[in-house]
């Protein structure tokens, strides 16, 4: 509150990104229906000053923002929101209304940027790609996508897209799908909340109620409250830092840090060996 100096209330930070100029951008989600309150919007931090964008001082549409990302290819800030895809060119926030020609309800859960291609995960209608010219829709009717509700997206080092859904995990590369679920893999739960591939090309998969799974291409290893120091079996997010530590955000329980080779301090090169 001291540094932001906007409102004497708390912010709910949903997502963040950094642009090529070193500015940090934060998406805020207010508590009002549809994001209709003063705590909704976007914060920009240049290292010294904070700037807030909301409908009172810009043409940012009032909406629930689920993900913010930066495209270095076109130097634009992109948002996945409850009213579709939104982009910002430094002056104007623009809703891509053409998305409504693709799906009946443009409510988006997540997004990821791969070069010129923007991938969006919808709440009900599947996976959407946009290359700045045309849209493509992948769903359970026209592809091997296991479910139309997308929870997370990740693009790995081998140019594959990993799609987390409510009914399993899908890997999409060169128009080919690999689908993993409780019947054909070591996944303990089909409700996948998040997925990343670390710098050792190992896939880590978060579930809604059964911890997270490590998949090295052959073996599946499950980590839960029962066999690890994990704070919760309800995993919200997975991220890897430059030292190879995996930061595990747990619903209502805090953050666990995992590194199979010993946790490397984020402040120095010191390695802490933990059981």
């Amino acid at each position: 509150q001291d540094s932001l100096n906007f409102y004497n209330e708390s912010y709910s930070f949903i997502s963040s990104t950094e642009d090529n100029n070193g500015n940090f951008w934060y998406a805020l989600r207010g508590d009002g229906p549809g994001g209709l309150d003063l705590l909704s919007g976007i914060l920009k931090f240049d290292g010294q000053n904070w700037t807030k964008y909301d409908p009172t001082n810009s043409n940012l549409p009032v909406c629930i923002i689920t993900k913010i990302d930066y495209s270095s290819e076109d130097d634009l800030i992109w948002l996945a929101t409850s009213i579709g895809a939104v982009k910002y060119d430094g002056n104007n926030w623009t809703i891509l209304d053409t998305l409504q020609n693709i799906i009946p309800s443009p409510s988006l859960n997540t997004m990821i940027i791969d070069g010129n291609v923007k991938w969006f995960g919808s709440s009900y209608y599947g996976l959407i790609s946009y290359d700045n010219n045309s849209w493509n829709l992948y769903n359970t009717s026209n592809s091997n996508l296991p479910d139309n509700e997308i929870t997370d997206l990740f693009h790995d080092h081998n140019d594959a897209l990993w799609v987390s859904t409510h009914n399993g995990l899908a890997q999409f590369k060169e128009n080919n799908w690999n689908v993993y679920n409780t019947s054909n893999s070591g996944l303990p739960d089909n409700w996948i909340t998040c997925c990343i591939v670390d710098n050792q090309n190992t896939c880590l998969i978060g579930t809604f109620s059964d911890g997270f799974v490590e998949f090295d291409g052959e073996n599946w290893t499950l980590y839960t409250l029962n066999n690890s120091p994990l704070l919760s079996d309800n995993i919200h997010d997975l991220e890897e830092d430059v030292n190879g530590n995996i930061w595990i955000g747990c619903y209502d329980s805090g953050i666990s840090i995992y590194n199979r080779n010993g946790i490397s301090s984020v402040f120095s090169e010191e390695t802490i060996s933990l059981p």
Side-chain angles (χ1 to χ4, degrees), residues 35-140:
L36 294 172
D37 63 59
L38 294 176
L39 300 185
S40 301
I42 302 295
L43 287 175
K44 174 186 173 183
F45 182 57
D46 63 7
Q48 293 183 330
N49 301 306
W50 294 87
T51 304
K52 187 168 185 288
Y53 301 89
D54 61 38
T56 67
N57 64 5
S58 71
N59 64 338
L60 174 67
V62 177
C63 54
I64 293 177
I65 301 165
T66 55
K67 189 72 181 285
I68 186 170
D69 210 343
Y70 172 72
S71 171
S72 59
E73 298 288 332
D74 47 25
D75 192 26
L76 294 175
I77 295 292
W78 288 81
L79 306 177
T81 81
S82 59
I83 58 174
V86 177
K87 63 181 180 179
Y88 179 61
D89 62 7
N91 294 301
N92 296 299
W93 299 90
T94 304
I95 305 172
L96 277 70
D97 295 329
T98 49
L99 177 59
Q100 298 178 5
N101 298 326
I102 308 299
I103 56 178
S105 172
S107 180
L108 301 174
N109 286 336
T110 187
M111 71 167 295
I112 194 169
I113 295 175
D114 173 25
N116 283 324
V117 180
K118 288 78 182 175
W119 294 92
F120 299 95
S122 75
S123 301
Y124 309 105
Y125 299 103
L127 176 69
I128 305 114
S129 68
Y130 178 63
D131 64 3
N132 296 328
N133 291 301
S134 59
W135 299 86
N136 285 308
L137 174 65
Y138 304 88
N139 55 36
T140 55

Side-chain angles (χ1 to χ4, degrees), residues 151-152 164-165 191-195 206-208 234-237 251:
T151 55
D152 194 29
S164 303
T165 81
W191 189 335
I192 309 302
T193 56
C194 53
C195 171
T207 72
F208 182 73
N234 193 329
I235 309 302
H236 178 67
D237 194 23
Y251 280 103

